[in-house]
Amino acid sequence: ARTRRSVIDSMAELAAQSGLLWDAGAMAEAVLAREDMQPTALDSGVALLHPRRPMPNILAEPLLALGITSQGIPFGGARGMLTDVFFLICSTDDRNHLRTLAKLARIIADDKLLAELRAAGDAVEILDLLQKREAEIDD
């Protein structure tokens, strides 16, 4: 069974595979500390993982990682809902961190999009869905 810690570790490792995150362990620890303060799991089954403060010292540039599990896992949501979609927000400054959080909140408010993400066949399809939705909300 997946634990909160194993999901956070996996998401940090995924971000590190981009070559833009240099210290997956430090990111995972910072995200875990943030989750201990206030879980980021939402009733929609999405968690917006992020450290409390941007971490420019371990990032080449900001990045966003996405993981989707085949089954929901308990992740600390307020009403005990299961979580299966995990975004890891890795920012280098407060302004972009807040902008990313706000934009993601608008994107994931679309239940149809969430269903499409969960049903997507591969990362290319997921990226296309997210980019189309982002363009719609930016208009």
Side-chain angles (χ1 to χ4, degrees):
R2 299 289 308 226
T3 64
R4 190 170 65 141
R5 176 64 193 235
S6 71
V7 169
I8 291 170
D9 286 343
S10 294
M11 290 300 298
E13 287 296 328
L14 176 65
Q17 289 174 17
S18 71
L20 302 175
L21 170 61
W22 303 314
D23 191 339
M27 180 61 71
E29 288 302 321
V31 170
L32 190 60
R34 166 67 180 80
E35 288 293 321
D36 286 344
M37 287 185 346
Q38 177 69 44
T40 61
L42 306 171
D43 287 346
S44 61
V46 178
L48 300 177
L49 307 172
H50 60 277
R52 188 166 170 262
R53 303 284 315 178
M55 301 182 73
N57 296 341
I58 63 170
L59 290 165
E61 62 185 68
L63 74 111
L64 186 65
L66 170 62
I68 301 175
T69 61
S70 58
Q71 296 179 29
I73 63 167
F75 205 77
R79 296 191 303 181
M81 305 292 283
L82 297 178
T83 304
D84 64 344
V85 177
F86 299 89
F87 286 94
L88 173 60
I89 303 163
C90 302
S91 300
T92 55
D93 64 79
D94 287 322
R95 182 170 179 258
N96 284 319
H97 177 77
L98 294 173
R99 287 178 61 192
T100 301
L101 270 173
K103 187 172 279 191
L104 263 180
R106 290 180 64 201
I107 288 171
I108 65 168
D110 181 344
D111 290 335
K112 180 177 178 266
L113 174 76
L114 288 178
E116 291 172 337
L117 289 178
R118 289 177 172 115
D122 60 30
V124 172
E125 184 179 352
I126 289 170
L127 182 60
D128 185 53
L129 288 166
L130 290 172
Q131 287 175 332
K132 282 181 181 168
R133 182 66 183 123
E134 182 180 21
E136 290 169 8
I137 63 173
D138 282 345
D139 288 343

